[in-house]
């Protein structure tokens, strides 16, 4: 009870006439604490797969439940909700965003309050310009997307969005070629030489990561892949490396069948930075297939608009 009174008094002080004398960092801590508390109290146990129990008095989730879901200590999370002056890593912020079921706007708010940069691929990426988005559309029916060196898919056109799976149905945070290649069944079933592709992707990722060792976003992705895919762990332990290169690839598309496409990287900045990935048809059959795939995407688009 004493702690709650202290918290309330401190928040009132910050919200009142003393705000100009209050450090910005302290204001951020109390805003962050209030935001976490509010979100926790408005999520039911059922929403996160936890039993409600008979003696629950706390509205929403308990602190220990959020701590468990986020894989952090209960005491540490309690300190966070008490606006203690503690360091919060982007990995923990990412875990809290997932545990509290934050949408894109709420996630951005969480990272802003913590004074951190969101490493997730769903975060706003200023490197993708409107001109580049227009170019992606003009390339249709050739599938094309913009990726960074971590294989986050930052933008894509309609044929790329239907090439290996329904990308629109994938959460922005999961639109990463490494994650999709190793964990998404639809993506995997679309790749003709899946085992070879998995091994190649791990080798390319290791080569790319050499220039980003220690960066939180890269470490988070590596940790996720290692935890979710035995195939990735096996490929990663090979310690193979290969640089990015153009290559002819075959896909077994769910809508139009077999496609043989020539992959090309068009670099948008320094080598190993952002790039536009394109898949040009290698034969007339594949060209016709891409035309049909674009028609599928356009029909889906029209159906969704008419339903609104």
């Amino acid at each position: 009870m004493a702690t709650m009174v202290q918290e309330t008094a401190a928040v009132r002080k910050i919200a009142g006439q003393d705000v100009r004398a209050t450090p910005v960092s302290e204001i951020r801590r109390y805003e962050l604490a209030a935001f976490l508390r509010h979100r926790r109290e408005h999520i039911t146990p059922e929403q996160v797969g936890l039993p409600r129990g008979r003696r629950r008095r706390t509205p929403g989730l308990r602190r220990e439940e959020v701590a468990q879901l986020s894989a952090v200590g209960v005491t540490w999370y309690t300190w966070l909700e008490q606006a203690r002056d503690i360091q919060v890593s982007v990995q923990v912020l990412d875990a809290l965003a997932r545990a509290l079921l934050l949408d894109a706007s709420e996630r951005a708010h969480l990272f802003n309050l913590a004074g951190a940069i969101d490493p997730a691929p769903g975060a706003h990426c200023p490197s993708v310009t409107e001109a580049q988005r227009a170019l992606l559309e003009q390339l249709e029916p050739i599938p094309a997307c913009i990726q960074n060196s971590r294989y986050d898919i930052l933008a894509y056109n309609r044929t790329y969005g239907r090439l290996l799976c329904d990308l629109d149905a994938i959460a922005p945070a999961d639109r990463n070629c490494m994650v999709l290649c190793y964990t998404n069944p639809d993506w995997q079933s679309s790749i003709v030489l899946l085992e070879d592709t998995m091994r190649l992707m791990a080798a390319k990722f290791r080569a790319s990561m050499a220039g980003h060792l220690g960066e939180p976003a890269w470490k988070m992705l590596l940790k996720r892949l290692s935890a979710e895919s035995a195939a990735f762990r096996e490929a990663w332990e090979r310690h193979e490396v290969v640089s990015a290169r153009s290559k002819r690839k075959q896909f077994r598309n769910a809508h139009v069948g077999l496609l043989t496409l020539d992959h090309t990287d068009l670099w948008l900045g320094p080598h190993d930075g952002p790039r536009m990935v394109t898949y040009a048809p290698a034969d007339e059959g594949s060209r016709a297939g891409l035309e049909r795939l674009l028609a599928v995407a356009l029909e889906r688009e029209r159906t969704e608009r008419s339903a609104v």
Side-chain angles (χ1 to χ4, degrees):
M1 180 63 70
T3 300
M4 184 177 297
V5 172
Q6 292 170 358
E7 289 181 37
T8 304
V11 171
R12 286 176 179 169
K13 176 182 177 182
I14 290 175
Q17 69 273 17
D18 295 333
V19 68
R20 287 177 294 180
T22 305
V24 174
S25 59
E26 187 175 348
I27 296 174
R28 284 182 177 274
R29 290 203 309 273
Y30 280 100
E31 286 290 329
L32 176 61
F35 179 65
L36 290 173
R37 202 158 46 242
H38 179 272
R39 290 300 301 140
R40 173 173 61 80
E41 292 173 351
H42 286 77
I43 296 177
T44 66
E46 292 84 355
Q47 286 179 281
V48 293
L50 295 176
R52 171 168 291 276
R54 296 182 178 180
R55 298 184 178 181
R56 179 176 294 271
R57 297 179 180 177
T58 304
L61 297 178
R62 300 187 180 99
R63 283 176 172 171
E64 55 266 31
E65 290 171 333
V66 175
Q68 176 187 349
L69 292 169
S70 306
V72 298
V74 177
T75 300
W76 188 91
Y77 180 75
T78 301
W79 287 349
L80 193 59
E81 280 202 7
Q82 291 174 347
R84 300 279 190 98
D85 188 6
I86 57 178
Q87 295 296 316
V88 188
S89 69
V90 293
Q91 292 94 329
V92 169
L93 291 172
D94 176 73
L96 287 172
R98 293 174 183 271
L100 295 172
L101 307 179
L102 302 187
D103 61 23
S105 297
E106 292 166 337
R107 181 186 174 97
H109 185 61
L110 174 70
F111 277 81
N112 284 336
L113 290 178
I117 297 176
D118 188 351
H124 175 65
C125 180
S127 63
V128 181
T129 66
E130 290 304 314
Q132 290 166 352
R133 294 182 188 276
L135 181 57
L136 288 175
E137 185 174 345
Q138 290 296 315
L139 284 171
E140 292 173 345
I142 292 176
C145 71
I146 294 177
Q147 297 177 14
N148 60 17
S149 56
R150 201 173 59 234
Y151 296 95
D152 298 325
I153 302 171
L154 308 177
Y156 55 91
N157 63 15
R158 286 168 290 200
T159 37
Y160 186 88
R162 296 291 184 275
L163 181 62
L164 291 106
C165 69
D166 183 359
L167 262 185
D168 292 343
I170 302 296
D174 295 332
R175 290 176 193 161
N176 175 281
C177 290
M178 294 295 301
V179 171
L180 293 168
C181 181
Y182 280 98
T183 67
N184 185 279
D186 292 337
W187 189 282
Q188 292 172 340
S189 64
S190 298
I191 299 175
V192 173
L193 300 175
L194 180 59
E195 291 186 9
D196 291 346
T197 299
M198 284 181 165
R199 184 171 174 178
L200 178 64
M201 289 292 288
K204 291 168 68 175
F205 182 65
R206 182 179 284 279
S208 297
M209 191 171 182
H212 303 274
L213 296 175
E215 293 184 21
W218 288 76
K219 292 195 295 183
M220 285 172 58
L221 179 56
L222 177 60
K223 182 178 180 180
R224 178 180 180 181
L225 290 167
S226 299
E228 296 183 11
S229 173
F232 175 80
R233 294 193 298 271
E234 181 181 349
W236 189 251
E237 288 303 315
R238 293 177 179 270
H239 288 267
E240 296 174 333
V241 293
V242 63
S243 59
R245 61 192 181 191
S246 299
K247 184 180 180 182
R248 179 162 291 184
K249 299 182 178 182
Q250 286 191 314
F251 301 106
R252 192 178 296 105
N253 184 264
H255 301 285
V256 301
L258 185 66
L259 295 169
T260 303
L261 308 175
D262 288 326
H263 162 271
T264 302
D265 287 325
L266 305 174
W267 300 99
L268 304 178
H271 191 64
D272 291 336
R275 62 191 180 275
M276 183 174 291
V277 179
T278 64
Y279 288 96
D283 51 54
E284 288 303 316
S286 296
R287 182 178 298 277
L290 291 180
E291 293 281 0
R292 296 196 303 274
L293 185 58
L294 178 58
V296 169
L298 291 172
E299 179 59 30
R300 168 77 174 274
E301 193 174 80
R302 284 191 291 268
T303 301
E304 291 177 347
R305 285 179 179 175
S306 62
V308 175

